[in-house]
Amino acid sequence: MKHIFVTGGVISSLGKGLTAAAIGTLLERRGLKVTIQKFDPYLNVDPGTMSPYQHGEVYVLDDGAETDLDLGHYERFTNSKLTRFNNLTSGQVYQRVLDKERRGDYLGKTVQVIPHITDEIQNRIREIGEKSEADVVITEIGGTIGDIEGLPFVEAIREFALNAGSNNVLFLHVTFVPFIKAAGELKTKPTQQGVAKLREIGITPDILVCRCEKPLNKELRQKLSLFCNVQYEGIIEEIDVEHSIYEVPLMLQQEGLDDLICRKLELKTPSADMSDWQDIIRKLVTPKNQVRIGVVGKYVELQDAYKSVYEAVIHGGIANDCGVKIERVEAEDIEKKGAIKTLHGYGGILIPGGFGERGTEGKILAAQYARENNIPFLGLCLGMQIATIEFARNVLNLKEAHSVEFSPETPHPVIALLDEQQNITNKGGTMRLGSQPCKLTPESIAAKLYNSNEINERHRHRYEFNNSYREEFEKAGLLFSGQSPDGNLVEIIEVPRHSFYLASQFHPEFKSKPNKPHPLFEGFIKAALACDRNRNV
Ligand code: GLN
């Protein structure tokens, strides 16, 4: 089994996760089985309890694990089947070691970071390899080299390499080569110092992936090679992409990165056929159509809070050969300025998931605007709950209808706590999580889009549609087109005789890929495009 360890230097947000994912794309297309895991140095057991301000999106896997959003990149860029074992935090490592200590496994010994914590991390590296039966395990170490909290992970991969054999392990360091305007040139010093930090621990990178705004010339490459002790061929340029993150694998292939990795790890494979990927890029760069989608949320100023949603919308565009301009609408702005001013002109309106009351009234106005004006609408998780509340208030005339999450005393709790949640008090990992089966109503929009009557989708919620209101909603024309197999939980609602009005309790965005756009997003963008065209006539 071969291992690639990806570290990052100088600054955060260099796109280490994307680089790791893109390497996965290339290696898979060389016929290799790949798995990718992320080590996160923070002490939370998982990111499930963290706010989007702290952490960005929480990405949910089939098995219900709440994980880092980089796992979203891994799944979108590769076919690797990820589980909760693909995201390890310091919190989990310490929890495991402390459980063992209490059990008496270390009886008589002092429990220490080295070797006990670092051994535990190495165990996980071996376990993931065995479980996934991959040819290549890519491990991304979160954070930046030099962070105190990341040290045990870096030490662990150094120790791991010691015993694994030099042709089985490769260290790839993603670094930043800034362009200094005043000097008019790219500067290598931060990279030199970042790599020096890594070498202090005992790791010399085999490959330096240099994130930069401008191309690296030969002279700079030579300088980086000399000062960082990396062979010349190991200096790889990763320049800012022009159009889309999906260009990264093609860029790295052009730099010869996958060839180099395979040579260093002694993997004999044909080169990667990226023709379908090139077609995706063609559709992203020169699409035949264009549409604007308004995403109404409360974390719209954050780049990463709705990451998978934005990506899935773009995939929906790819499926329709359509460029999508995503415009983020602050829900509270709708409350202040009204729906017409804030939402006018969008081909479609999307309300993603969320927690907490702030912005809910604005979202309700957005759902009403879309429903009443025949504008394609897609609601996801909280988005479905919002659509339900809106329908109750404005169609059923239950003016005080609400979700008990936001108004525990509402006389019309159309969204209520899930039964299974009644006695749960702990917050971490206790929502209804992960992949669950769902039955679709034949002939519904959902069934037509999925081209199936049975689906599995990922969940992350505590509240649900309140069944005591079902009849009333149905009489008023709402269609419950998706339900749990026992019929107890509403999973999809649709408003018939509308250009497209569909909302799901699950999160379809987690299963969309650029080369396999999710059917609901494909249908939503198709409807948005048609709606835009009608408007332009
Ligand atoms: N807050 C809602 C719930 O817990 C919706 C969750 C979500 O959108 N992920 O049910």
Side-chain angles (χ1 to χ4, degrees), residues 263-410:
R263 251 196 334 271
K264 288 204 181 269
L265 292 177
E266 296 176 6
L267 289 162
K268 292 195 178 38
T269 72
S271 53
D273 176 5
M274 297 293 286
S275 42
D276 62 328
W277 207 265
Q278 263 146 358
D279 190 45
I280 291 171
I281 302 302
R282 203 279 304 147
K283 285 184 181 150
L284 284 167
V285 179
T286 50
K288 298 209 168 84
N289 306 295
Q290 273 294 341
V291 74
R292 281 167 69 216
I293 299 293
V295 174
V296 180
K298 81 172 184 187
Y299 301 113
V300 289
E301 81 276 23
L302 301 178
Q303 186 79 4
D304 286 344
Y306 306 115
K307 189 102 204 156
S308 297
V309 174
Y310 296 146
E311 292 307 318
V313 168
I314 290 167
H315 305 161
I318 295 172
N320 287 285
D321 207 339
C322 173
V324 187
K325 187 153 192 301
I326 298 171
E327 298 194 17
R328 308 169 190 186
V329 184
E330 179 63 62
E332 282 172 305
D333 265 1
I334 306 176
E335 291 166 22
K336 285 180 215 141
K337 300 178 195 154
I340 298 179
K341 242 199 183 127
T342 42
L343 298 172
H344 180 74
Y346 293 131
I349 293 171
L350 187 153
I351 303 184
F355 298 83
E357 211 204 334
R358 182 168 68 81
T360 47
E361 292 303 321
K363 292 178 193 173
I364 292 169
L365 288 171
Q368 179 181 13
Y369 180 79
R371 187 178 55 75
E372 291 179 349
N373 294 287
N374 203 28
I375 296 164
F377 173 87
L378 183 62
L380 310 174
C381 202
L382 178 67
M384 185 198 93
Q385 301 176 354
I386 292 284
T388 304
I389 298 166
E390 188 281 314
F391 197 90
R393 288 189 187 175
N394 299 318
V395 179
L396 304 183
N397 219 11
L398 307 173
K399 290 295 174 206
E400 290 169 87
H402 223 318
S403 161
V404 294
E405 179 180 3
F406 313 124
S407 171
E409 307 301 327
T410 171

Side-chain angles (χ1 to χ4, degrees), residues 483-501:
Q483 299 174 50
S484 56
D486 61 8
N488 270 337
L489 296 176
V490 170
E491 294 279 16
I492 307 178
I493 60 171
E494 292 175 21
V495 172
R497 292 175 294 284
H498 188 283
S499 62
F500 183 99
Y501 195 103

Side-chain angles (χ1 to χ4, degrees), residues 238-255:
E238 190 184 328
I239 203 160
D240 294 350
V241 287
E242 214 175 311
H243 305 281
S244 154
I245 54 170
Y246 300 112
E247 290 171 78
V248 175
L250 296 172
M251 241 164 52
L252 294 177
Q253 185 186 35
Q254 228 166 32
E255 278 284 292

